[in-house]
Amino acid sequence: MHRVVVIGASLAGLRAAQAVRSVGHDGALVVVGDEAHLPYTRPPLSKQLLAGEQTHHDCAFPAVDTLDADWRLGAAATGLDRASKTVTLADGQSLTYDRLIIATGCRARTWPDAPGGVHTLRGIDDALALRAALDAQPQRIAIVGAGFVGCEVAATARKAGVAVTLIDVEAQPLVPLGAELGARCAALHREHGVDLRLGAGVATLRKGGVDLTDGTRVDAEVVLAAVGALPNTEWLAGSGLALDARGGLLCDATLTSVTDDDVLAAGDVVSWPHPLAGGDAVRVEHWTTAAEHGALAGRNALADDASERAGHVAPPYFWSDQYDLKIQAVGFPARGATLTIVDEDGPRLVAEARDAAGRLVGAITFNNAKRLAAYRRQLATEALGAAA
Ligand SMILES: Cc1cc2nc3c(=O)[nH]c(=O)nc-3n(C[C@H](O)[C@H](O)[C@H](O)COP(=O)(O)OP(=O)(O)OC[C@H]3O[C@@H](n4cnc5c(N)ncnc54)[C@H](O)[C@@H]3O)c2cc1C
């Protein structure tokens, strides 16, 4: 094994590169990233960094500079030729590899025909631009999309004293939490003064506000489109690597491309079969999964034979912080036939998701990390059993 090339210099790519070194690879290791920055963690971008409580420096991963890697930053990968095992970069360079790890994550989905000045939030530059806009003390921010990023930004903006209109076409915020928990989150945002417009179609995003399909105008100096994320796989067009219907890179349980044993992948970009999802291919956009994926893909990339590679079976885990509420989820709650609140005590809540046969498939807690940890252990054991 001469050269391992990692494309994507963020969480999954960093963990992959660290694992490649930690299992003893002493050959070349190249990490390519299209952002100009060394890897940094994204969760604070909608929370502490946006609130001005953390800086870019605080978001940097520790010890990155001690990793013996050739960093190619500010250089997007633009093509892959698997026959010659060559990746081409936007700056005209090309890199050959023995093993390739793709960790190109996702980008923010943009609103069609949005004018300049409408914000999206995925990277540190986006977050700093949004923070500057909030620091200018606007009268109002209009946020289109009441998913996790939209709701977290709403909470941060309210904390900064900025009026918020949060708009979603769905009847509830945070759809993956189900109707009951979604209604509680809606109430929480309203208690904090958010003007929450649910079931509201957006006709136009304009500079200076949002026009709804019912004719209502929402005037706001700051507009954020928080309407989801798309996997960064366009650069693989023509490579022959299989993608799922939504552009995720199709891998087997060991995070190896289903098309090519020398190509592995990690993080938000991957679509892989999970035992807790009945073996269906899933793509999750969770920090912890990206870190676990990276570590596993790095180790698996160095296995002499693809049959020696281990599978990723850990249940997906996710958290979100909004006001004083910590939402945590494990497994696949949205795939359950039922989601039942089994315990509630003031601001703490525990809900279990079960399939039609009554098997636990996921759990959600509000302000109850201890109970969530117990479900995480239980689902990890069940996933191992299902994978065996
Ligand atoms: C604002 C925000 C808040 C979040 N909060 C939470 C949270 O509270 N809890 C939680 O569990 N998760 C949270 N997440 C999700 C979590 O951050 C992601 O799951 C994680 O960043 C995924 O890591 P990744 O390395 O797979 O992908 P990414 O972090 O998306 O990194 C991919 C990298 O590859 C680069 N790239 C893309 N294409 C190319 C190319 N062609 N060539 C070279 N480089 C390329 C990208 O620019 C990027 O730097 C949040 C995400 C955001 C955006």
Side-chain angles (χ1 to χ4, degrees):
M1 177 82 60
H2 298 296
R3 180 185 275 172
V4 178
V5 172
V6 179
I7 308 294
S10 182
L11 172 60
L14 173 65
R15 292 289 185 259
Q18 289 170 327
V20 163
R21 282 291 181 234
S22 69
V23 293
H25 174 66
D26 56 8
L29 171 62
V30 186
V31 185
V32 176
D34 62 358
E35 294 183 83
H37 314 291
L38 281 167
Y40 57 86
T41 190
R42 291 177 203 270
L45 304 187
S46 48
K47 311 176 188 78
Q48 299 89 340
L49 181 122
L50 190 62
E53 296 159 7
Q54 289 188 359
T55 63
H56 182 171
H57 180 74
D58 297 321
C59 299
F61 287 107
V64 170
D65 48 356
T66 61
L67 182 70
D68 178 18
D70 174 5
W71 294 92
R72 308 282 180 96
L73 299 176
T78 51
L80 168 64
D81 177 27
R82 291 191 298 118
S84 62
K85 293 191 166 191
T86 306
V87 176
T88 48
L89 306 186
D91 61 9
Q93 295 187 49
S94 56
L95 290 167
T96 56
Y97 63 86
D98 296 291
R99 293 280 151 73
L100 179 67
I101 302 175
I102 295 173
T104 44
C106 286
R107 63 183 179 281
R109 188 196 292 267
T110 52
W111 190 266
D113 301 325
V118 168
H119 293 261
T120 56
L121 180 53
R122 181 75 196 178
I124 190 107
D125 298 329
D126 303 330
L128 292 173
L130 188 55
R131 187 166 104 187
L134 294 182
D135 283 349
Q137 298 186 317
Q139 294 286 320
R140 180 170 296 277
I141 177 172
I143 303 170
V144 176
F148 287 97
V149 169
C151 284
E152 289 180 356
V153 172
T156 304
R158 287 305 299 132
K159 208 156 79 175
V162 176
V164 175
T165 300
L166 180 57
I167 303 156
D168 204 299
V169 70
E170 299 288 344
Q172 63 160 100
L174 305 170
V175 168
L177 298 186
E180 168 87 45
L181 301 191
R184 288 168 193 245
C185 293
L188 179 73
H189 281 279
R190 287 190 167 122
E191 277 163 27
H192 282 83
V194 172
D195 172 14
L196 187 56
R197 310 278 182 97
L198 296 173
V202 169
T204 319
L205 257 61
R206 55 183 163 77
K207 212 170 158 55
V210 178
D211 296 335
L212 304 183
T213 48
D214 66 2
T216 316
R217 283 172 68 89
V218 177
D219 290 323
E221 301 96 305
V222 184
V223 179
L224 170 70
V227 287
L230 299 170
N232 289 316
T233 48
E234 288 76 4
W235 68 279
L236 296 169
S239 70
L241 290 181
L243 303 180
D244 71 13
R246 293 179 172 183
L249 183 56
L250 263 183
C251 291
D252 66 17
T254 72
L255 308 179
T256 304
S257 157
V258 295
T259 323
D260 188 331
D261 279 352
D262 291 324
V263 178
L264 296 93
D268 284 10
V269 75
V270 182
S271 190
W272 87 109
H274 199 286
L276 288 178
D280 290 349
V282 294
R283 199 173 63 72
V284 301
E285 297 172 14
H286 301 350
W287 194 98
T288 307
T289 302
E292 292 167 351
H293 269 186
L296 182 67
R299 284 200 303 277
N300 281 347
L302 294 196
D304 289 334
D305 190 291
S307 65
E308 293 166 16
R309 295 176 183 172
H312 183 272
V313 293
Y317 160 76
F318 174 85
W319 80 93
S320 174
D321 298 314
Q322 298 165 33
Y323 313 105
D324 292 331
L325 172 66
K326 180 172 282 292
I327 302 169
Q328 291 174 292
V330 64
F332 295 95
R335 295 176 72 103
T338 58
L339 181 70
T340 312
I341 297 174
V342 294
D343 199 358
E344 194 167 4
D345 174 17
R348 293 163 181 258
L349 171 157
V350 179
E352 291 180 349
R354 295 188 176 272
D355 66 12
R359 272 186 302 264
L360 185 75
V361 293
I364 301 171
T365 62
F366 285 3
N367 295 327
N368 201 331
K370 201 168 160 191
R371 291 286 295 277
L372 198 282
Y375 284 112
R376 204 169 164 189
R377 284 192 295 275
Q378 181 182 343
L379 284 170
T381 307
E382 283 175 22
L384 278 173

